[in-house]
Amino acid sequence: MPHALPDHLGTVRAAGSVLAAGTETVDPSGPIPQLIIAALLGIVVIIVLITWLKVHPFIALTIGALGVGIGAGLAPDKAVTSFGVGFGATMTSVGILVGLGSMFGKMLVDSGAADRVVDTLVRKSSKAALPWTMALIGALIGLPMFFEVGLVLLIPIIVLVAKRSDVPIMKIAVPALVGLSTMHAFVPPHPGPLVAISTVGANLGTTLAFGIVLAIPVIILAGPVFAQFAARWVDIPAPDLFGSRGSGTGSGSGSGSRAASDDPAHAGRQARRGTATQDTASLPNGKSDFTRVISEPRSPSFTVALIGILLPVVLMLAQAVREATVPDAAGSWVSLLDFLGSPMIAIGIAAVYAMIFFAIGGGMDRSAVAKSLESALPPVAGVLLIVGAGGGFKQVLIDTGIGGVIADAVKDSGISVLLVAWVVSALVRVATGSATVATVTAAGIMAPIAQDLSSPVVSLLVLAIGAGSVFLSHVNDAGFWLVKGYLNTTVGQTFKTWTVLECLISVFGLLGVLLAGVFIH
């Protein structure tokens, strides 16, 4: 029976039809042993190309997918067609959302709105509450931003907060990184969850709601709670990324100017916009020298910035709640709510909101807005190609009949489908070092299995894949080296902190999914 993507996913109906056709039960293209060998060899080829030969994941996934198709008995031209269909359908459902989300994130940073949110929350926190505040900041920044972008934004904040509050760096860094990474793994509109939702046909609103609920205990346990242990295991000073600081303890304009000079992001924006009067504030934690510029020329207010960050989430959740509570309702208000809650419209509204309110609040003219939006797209081009190739790989698995073989094997084994999804994702993550590759590969393998699951369980399947995709970050993961370099830790210290926190996110996420699976059928 065809498994069409739900309308709320925000795809055009044509794309939904393509995917629906692609997930029909098909006759195997060859004997079952041949299919299994082809699938295993294809995955091995992908891993070897990425890890050993350092081939870009897009090329590796493409070669692996075509190799699986031909090796499983598809004619070469049929394998190419199958890959193209999957690539196009995935890009239709995910590509637009990733592009709009990237534009929103870039405007959030360039306008100073992200700094406003961070500064306001930190300024209102006591010393004891700082780890919890940093977890909240990481989660808020993680909602609209890609992990690498959020990391680059957060690191200066982490270092400066640790220096000026006299709190151990790991008590500040770990919660912020956990908030950022958890949102990246579990919550749309990040590329990983989006492509998994598209591939397995999950309800985006339901997955978003489940993801946020799951993220809260995961962030608490892997963030502020684990940070207490991490600070003991790795007791190091905050790195001197921005040059030495004076030892004066005065506050006021002089102290604020010193803080501004220590913040390269702020200095860069001041250079672009010209010097302006700066407002400063002190953190009420007994450290009178903790000051940070919290206002730039016409900087967006905290309320304006927070509305922009939460707007697409609220719109999509409202649509999901309506669908869950009154699924058969009709009328203009239902149509309007479903329209506004569709992912493309919700994220598009947020992007337009940012162009208007962030730009006005940040003192950006039209050319600055255009430049910011234009610069947002090149960094995500590689991600989009990887996501599309993952969709192509999924379609080849389906069209050869390999997906059906895998689905039957999992159903007959008696093992939890959610656990299988996590294991597959985690294995690819450990082998390749890429959360995105792990997600798209695992989602492709699990797509045929999802046809026989209820809609809520399919959403849990997406979260299980997301949890596996962050497991055991080590030396083949770019994020490992970014964190090591920024925090100035040794390889061993990075394993004790960053690698452990990623494992905690993954394992706690799996436990949460399995627990929810007991009550949700």
Side-chain angles (χ1 to χ4, degrees):
M1 180 178 179
H3 180 66
L5 286 177
D7 290 340
H8 58 262
L9 190 58
T11 61
V12 295
R13 292 186 179 273
S17 300
V18 170
L19 286 182
T23 54
E24 291 179 351
T25 301
V26 298
D27 294 328
S29 56
I32 290 181
Q34 179 183 351
L35 299 182
I36 295 175
I37 292 173
L40 291 176
L41 286 178
I43 294 173
V44 169
V45 166
I46 291 170
I47 292 173
V48 169
L49 287 175
I50 294 174
T51 60
W52 186 43
L53 298 179
K54 307 301 180 185
V55 174
H56 191 277
F58 165 66
I59 297 177
L61 283 166
T62 302
I63 293 173
L66 296 178
V68 168
I70 296 172
L74 284 182
D77 61 324
K78 297 294 185 182
V80 172
T81 299
S82 177
F83 179 83
V85 168
F87 185 99
T90 302
M91 289 300 293
T92 299
S93 60
V94 176
I96 297 173
L97 306 183
V98 172
L100 290 172
S102 179
M103 288 180 169
F104 175 83
K106 195 69 168 65
M107 288 294 300
L108 186 71
V109 173
D110 290 351
S111 67
D115 282 341
R116 171 68 77 173
V117 171
V118 170
D119 292 330
T120 301
L121 292 176
V122 168
R123 181 164 57 93
K124 293 180 179 296
S125 297
S126 66
K127 187 174 180 178
L130 269 179
W132 299 87
T133 300
M134 295 305 294
L136 176 60
I137 289 171
L140 285 175
I141 296 301
L143 270 175
M145 291 188 186
F146 295 111
F147 177 80
E148 291 80 4
V149 177
L151 180 62
V152 171
L153 174 68
L154 280 176
I155 286 296
I157 309 301
I158 290 170
V159 173
L160 291 173
V161 168
K163 277 190 171 186
R164 299 175 193 173
S165 65
D166 199 26
V167 173
I169 181 70
M170 289 304 164
K171 287 189 178 181
I172 302 297
V174 167
L177 294 175
V178 166
L180 185 66
S181 185
T182 301
M183 290 299 175
H184 180 80
F186 295 148
V187 181
H190 290 292
L194 277 179
V195 72
I197 289 167
S198 172
T199 302
V200 304
N203 182 308
L204 191 145
T206 302
T207 308
L208 176 62
F210 284 178
I212 291 175
V213 171
L214 177 63
I216 293 172
V218 170
I219 291 174
I220 291 173
L221 293 173
V225 174
F226 170 64
Q228 303 297 320
F229 300 95
R232 297 175 195 165
W233 298 344
V234 181
D235 185 11
I236 59 173
D240 194 13
L241 292 181
F242 314 125
S244 61
R245 289 178 48 81
S247 57
T249 59
S251 59
S253 60
S255 180
S257 299
R258 184 175 69 249
S261 66
D262 284 345
D263 188 340
H266 175 81
R269 282 189 296 273
Q270 290 293 76
R272 290 194 301 270
R273 301 178 189 177
T275 304
T277 303
Q278 301 163 356
D279 297 325
T280 63
S282 298
L283 187 70
N285 63 357
K287 298 294 292 184
S288 60
D289 64 331
F290 188 112
T291 55
R292 188 153 196 262
V293 174
I294 63 165
S295 179
E296 293 182 344
R298 302 174 60 189
S299 179
S301 69
F302 174 77
T303 302
V304 168
L306 191 61
I307 289 174
I309 293 173
L310 297 179
L311 182 59
V313 176
V314 171
L315 291 175
M316 287 188 283
L317 283 179
Q319 193 277 338
V321 170
R322 196 283 307 163
E323 190 174 68
T325 55
V326 283
D328 299 325
S332 57
W333 72 272
V334 173
S335 299
L336 177 62
L337 195 59
D338 289 348
F339 172 75
L340 296 177
S342 63
M344 184 176 71
I345 300 302
I347 299 174
I349 290 174
V352 173
Y353 176 96
M355 291 168 58
I356 298 174
F357 294 100
F358 289 178
I360 293 175
M364 302 172 70
D365 57 24
R366 285 177 294 179
S367 62
V369 171
K371 185 176 181 180
S372 179
L373 296 177
E374 181 181 356
S375 64
L377 295 179
V380 302
V383 174
L384 288 175
L385 289 174
I386 294 171
V387 165
F393 178 63
K394 177 266 302 185
Q395 196 64 41
V396 169
L397 291 176
I398 291 173
D399 290 346
T400 56
I402 294 174
V405 172
I406 296 172
D408 291 339
V410 171
K411 285 185 290 185
D412 295 339
S413 69
I415 301 174
S416 167
V417 171
L418 302 176
L419 179 60
V420 172
W422 183 88
V423 169
V424 172
S425 181
L427 288 175
V428 178
R429 156 69 164 183
V430 173
T432 65
S434 171
T436 303
V437 172
T439 301
V440 298
T441 304
I445 292 173
M446 302 302 295
I449 302 172
Q451 298 181 62
D452 299 324
L453 304 177
S454 67
S455 178
V457 176
V458 175
S459 292
L460 292 179
L461 184 72
V462 171
L463 298 180
I465 292 172
S469 73
V470 296
F471 182 72
L472 196 63
S473 170
H474 60 98
V475 295
N476 65 352
D477 178 18
F480 179 93
W481 297 107
L482 279 173
V483 172
K484 177 189 178 299
Y486 278 130
L487 297 183
N488 196 27
T489 53
T490 66
V491 170
Q493 290 170 334
T494 309
F495 272 111
K496 290 179 182 178
T497 52
W498 167 251
T499 301
V500 172
L501 75 83
E502 286 284 88
C503 288
L504 290 176
I505 292 171
S506 182
V507 173
F508 287 145
L510 171 64
L511 293 177
V513 167
L514 293 177
L515 180 62
V518 173
F519 303 99
I520 298 174
H521 303 285

